[in-house]
Amino acid sequence: MTTALPINPPARLLMGPGPITADPRVLRAMSAQLVGQYDPAMTAYMAETQEFFRGVFATANDATLLVDGTSRAGIEAAMVSLLEPGDKVLVPIFGRFGHLLREIAERCGAEVHVLEREWGTVFTTAEIEKALIEVKPKLLAVVHGDTSTTVAQPFDELGALAHKHGALLYSDTTASLGGNTFLTDEWGVDVVSTGLQKCLAGPSGSAPITISDAARAIIESRKSIEAGIRTEGDPVLANPIRSNYLDLAQILDYWGPKRLNHHTEATSMLYGARECARILLEEGLDETIERHRVHGNAMADGLAGLGFEIFGDQSVRMNNVIGVHIPEGIDGDAGRAAMLTDYGIEIGTSFGPLHGKVWRIGVMGYNARRDTVLTTLAALEQLLRRGGVTVPVGGGVDAALESYAASSTDGVA
């Protein structure tokens, strides 16, 4: 019988579009001992996690909680809980993850209408309003920052626009929350979901979500309690929400005073999610976003200093991920493999029309630091030089250092 060795992952610096290197404090929190799901300590941790994430989402929503699963579970929980078959949904698509919203909505039986833009660009408010007038959807579903294209859709006017035309607004902020400004309440966003594995500096596996009162009313109107935990007077519908595990109506009761025994909370993931939010709020939301901006700009300037052509509309680029056109003569996949093998650094490729044409370099979460930026740029310089590309000696590191010097917050760690 073969004896398996303990898990011992190789040393890696994850500088791709995510996941990223988790903050050691988060990993330590996740190693804490389990307690029962209704232990007073556990319910207190749950309440603390809810309050911490209200700060992260910039919301006062009571319905702020975790969906147990990766960020996609949060997306699907929102969609399946809000949408009934035949409901109209408008999805503006400007990258891979807009296509994901479309697919999930279609699987919910919704009537999905889409707008599409060239990857690397975003929509104007007028384009979205025109479609809202034509479609009259129940839900406007928009990715905030799409890592596949490195750009973020401006959101500050979308909530008022959706509400003006009778729609709720949902946003997937998996790639952007914590590293870019996102003001849930101020912008009137009804449902927002995210993940831990990017700017929040944790592992994938928990999906924080926040829900407005208007969206919660729709979800609650679809509540149907499963037979095994039903008590007298509980609602039972002929056509309940089409997922049991991702049924937000029941999950809200699990996190609320009823403590409905819907599922067993993923305790270690809750510990990790709580620590992600605690660390961010300890630093300060504005300060965390500024840190991502400073280091993201330094990386972008450094990449330009190496001669890379930066991909996408830079006026709407996310702080935390930069796309570059792969230089002529460099095999994209082979280059990424060499970065991993020779330097222990992971960078990303992209999808669809950008696959093999663009590399994506992330500067986010625990890795939004000066040393990681400079180390990655130094390794890329050597990679390009060995591939026959003429590169300014020290061009990337020098440009990044100049960026830091020019920043009013030089020295953000």
Side-chain angles (χ1 to χ4, degrees):
M1 178 177 177
T2 302
T3 302
L5 297 174
I7 289 174
N8 185 27
R12 295 287 190 251
L13 176 57
L14 302 182
M15 297 298 287
I20 51 81
T21 310
D23 191 306
R25 291 172 289 181
V26 174
L27 299 180
R28 285 195 293 269
M30 294 180 68
S31 70
Q33 186 53 266
L34 305 184
V35 294
Q37 62 178 325
Y38 298 116
D39 187 299
M42 182 62 175
T43 55
Y45 291 146
M46 292 172 75
E48 289 172 350
T49 301
Q50 291 180 279
E51 185 59 25
F52 290 167
F53 272 101
R54 290 185 187 107
V56 175
F57 282 116
T59 185
N61 289 337
D62 178 68
T64 302
L65 53 126
L66 304 178
V67 175
D68 290 337
T70 64
S71 50
R72 189 173 299 214
I75 298 169
E76 193 151 342
M79 293 283 197
V80 76
S81 299
L82 286 168
L83 298 174
E84 299 183 63
D87 282 343
K88 291 184 180 181
V89 180
L90 175 62
V91 182
I93 298 173
F94 58 98
R96 175 195 168 181
F97 295 100
H99 285 289
L100 175 63
L101 298 189
R102 174 187 192 170
E103 172 154 336
I104 292 174
E106 287 176 341
R107 289 185 181 219
C108 292
E111 178 187 318
V112 183
H113 298 256
V114 301
L115 301 175
E116 294 197 52
R117 285 292 302 262
E118 180 183 358
W119 288 25
T121 68
V122 297
F123 294 91
T124 65
T125 303
E127 287 174 321
I128 293 176
E129 181 165 31
K130 182 174 182 290
L132 283 167
I133 292 168
E134 292 173 353
V135 175
K136 298 180 177 59
K138 175 182 181 179
L139 183 69
L140 171 63
V142 191
V143 174
H144 179 225
D146 197 314
T147 44
S148 68
T149 69
T150 75
V151 299
Q153 174 64 46
F155 249 77
D156 53 325
E157 298 179 351
L158 294 190
L161 203 62
H163 301 158
K164 174 184 174 183
H165 296 287
L168 295 176
L169 175 60
Y170 162 73
S171 181
D172 165 26
T173 64
T174 300
S176 57
L177 193 72
N180 305 266
T181 299
F182 194 92
L183 304 174
T184 300
D185 286 359
E186 184 175 324
W187 293 349
V189 191
D190 291 287
V191 181
V192 188
S193 66
T194 194
L196 304 181
Q197 71 273 21
K198 298 182 190 284
C199 299
L200 298 185
S204 179
S206 183
I209 190 168
T210 189
I211 305 162
S212 73
D213 289 344
R216 183 173 187 167
I218 290 175
I219 293 167
E220 296 278 10
S221 74
R222 303 188 66 209
K223 182 186 294 185
S224 187
I225 304 299
E226 64 183 85
I229 53 176
R230 190 182 300 154
T231 59
E232 187 176 353
D234 281 342
V236 181
L237 301 182
N239 294 298
I241 290 169
R242 291 191 167 193
S243 172
N244 180 292
Y245 185 65
L246 300 176
D247 179 343
L248 284 175
Q250 293 189 93
I251 294 172
L252 282 163
D253 275 350
Y254 178 71
W255 281 79
K258 290 183 179 179
R259 298 293 174 192
L260 181 76
N261 191 10
H262 175 255
H263 67 285
T264 302
E265 179 59 27
T267 308
S268 297
M269 283 308 310
L270 181 139
Y271 293 166
R274 178 188 178 278
E275 186 68 357
C276 285
R278 189 198 67 80
I279 290 169
L280 188 151
L281 296 178
E282 181 180 72
E283 181 179 8
L285 181 57
D286 292 342
E287 289 78 8
T288 303
I289 293 167
E290 177 65 7
R291 174 167 57 86
H292 282 83
R293 186 193 69 80
V294 168
H295 295 299
N297 283 348
M299 179 65 86
D301 290 344
L303 292 167
L306 287 174
F308 281 107
E309 179 187 354
I310 309 297
F311 172 77
D313 181 349
Q314 294 304 286
S315 70
V316 289
R317 177 178 58 79
M318 287 189 284
N319 290 331
N320 54 297
V321 61
I322 302 97
V324 293
H325 294 273
I326 300 169
E328 191 72 30
I330 298 290
D331 181 294
D333 289 341
R336 291 176 58 244
M339 284 287 287
L340 195 65
T341 301
D342 296 339
Y343 305 103
I345 299 174
E346 179 178 281
I347 62 173
T349 184
S350 193
F351 310 101
L354 303 182
H355 181 73
K357 299 177 182 178
V358 167
W359 282 333
R360 294 176 298 152
I361 294 125
V363 184
M364 62 184 92
Y366 184 66
N367 288 346
R369 307 194 313 264
R370 189 187 189 104
D371 62 304
T372 61
V373 170
L374 299 181
T375 299
T376 302
L377 290 168
L380 281 167
E381 177 181 339
Q382 295 306 311
L383 175 75
L384 295 179
R385 197 181 302 284
R386 288 169 58 190
V389 178
T390 301
V391 184
V393 176
V397 169
D398 287 347
L401 289 172
E402 289 174 8
S403 180
Y404 283 127
S407 172
S408 60
T409 54
D410 182 28
V412 173

